[in-house]
Amino acid sequence: MPYQYRTTGGDCGCGPSCPPQSAPPPSGGCPCGDSFRQALDLLCSQQFYGLVDFGSFAFVSDYFLLGASIEAPAGGSQPGDNLTALSATYRCGSCGCETAAASGPLFPPTVGGLAQAGTVSQAALCRLTAVAFDAADDASLTNAANYQAIVQLFTQLLRPAMPQTCVSIADSLTTGVTATATVAAGPLLVENALVLGQLGKLLVLANSTDGRFYLVCADKIDFIG
């Protein structure tokens, strides 16, 4: 696939860049928006950029999915999820203060749901439950090699669990870099995935079967196993 070129001015042509803020906005109605912004910007950094397939993303909310539909999970002991092939495109660069530049088919959160009519060009970060993306598969490195490189980068960068009196969901899952978990968050189900750690309020998971990664809002997780 052709590479997506990063922008440096904080704008992808679909809105003004964010003005400087002396204090972060209240997060009561937006539990993970800032963390999704941080994570997506990280994927566009020089470290990650050549390893990520920017044409194989899915943006998951409670009510719709951009770039994938829901299917019955395979089950068993291997890593997997309940998403079809990822087809949303994420374009590096901010698309305003509260959105990401993302496009692709829009699906309802039901098994076998059909693509909805209409054109989507932005995803509201505050409404997201999770973002999934695949490692790149190009002429120089295979998907498996890029997957392993991303795992190594995340392992070096992510925050491990911090001991505390009342353990959060994310901390309970990040007790070790070799830990695996099954996580249900909104319509997304990820099974037997490698738990890589936390990025802000996001839980980062890896699925070696599909060469796929998940950024899951910890406040949107319904069940863990």
Side-chain angles (χ1 to χ4, degrees), residues 59-219:
F59 294 81
V60 181
S61 75
D62 290 342
Y63 303 105
F64 287 98
L65 295 90
L66 178 65
S69 62
I70 297 295
E71 64 180 2
S77 60
Q78 295 301 310
D81 61 31
N82 63 342
L83 301 178
T84 57
L86 310 187
S87 61
T89 296
Y90 172 61
R91 299 181 301 282
C92 287
S94 174
C95 199
C97 303
E98 300 176 349
T99 59
S103 58
L106 194 65
F107 296 90
T110 55
V111 174
L114 300 178
Q116 305 297 291
T119 301
V120 173
S121 61
Q122 301 181 47
L125 297 176
C126 284
R127 304 297 295 174
L128 292 179
T129 297
V131 173
F133 66 92
D134 289 343
D137 189 359
D138 53 43
S140 58
L141 287 174
T142 64
N143 171 275
N146 286 326
Y147 169 85
Q148 290 299 333
I150 295 173
V151 168
Q152 291 178 5
L153 283 173
F154 272 137
T155 301
Q156 295 167 5
L157 294 172
L158 295 183
R159 178 174 70 86
M162 300 296 293
Q164 51 184 303
T165 303
C166 182
V167 179
S168 69
I169 288 178
D171 284 339
S172 71
L173 290 175
T174 54
T175 55
V177 294
T178 59
T180 60
T182 293
V183 173
L188 175 67
L189 175 64
V190 183
E191 297 180 308
N192 308 309
L194 182 65
V195 180
L196 297 178
Q198 291 177 246
L199 180 59
K201 294 184 177 181
L202 305 181
L203 182 68
V204 183
L205 305 171
N207 162 6
S208 58
T209 301
D210 302 299
R212 184 168 296 170
F213 296 86
Y214 311 87
L215 310 169
V216 184
C217 177
D219 287 356

Side-chain angles (χ1 to χ4, degrees), residues 17-93:
S17 58
C18 301
Q21 293 180 331
S22 57
S27 59
C30 184
C32 296
D34 288 343
S35 295
F36 277 120
R37 174 84 280 156
Q38 178 187 1
L40 291 171
D41 287 346
L42 179 63
L43 297 183
C44 294
S45 69
Q46 186 175 4
Q47 290 174 292
F48 284 85
Y49 190 73
L51 305 173
V52 175
D53 185 347
F54 288 95
S56 295
F57 268 68
F59 294 81
V60 181
S61 75
D62 290 342
Y63 303 105
F64 287 98
L65 295 90
L66 178 65
S69 62
I70 297 295
E71 64 180 2
S77 60
Q78 295 301 310
D81 61 31
N82 63 342
L83 301 178
T84 57
L86 310 187
S87 61
T89 296
Y90 172 61
R91 299 181 301 282
C92 287

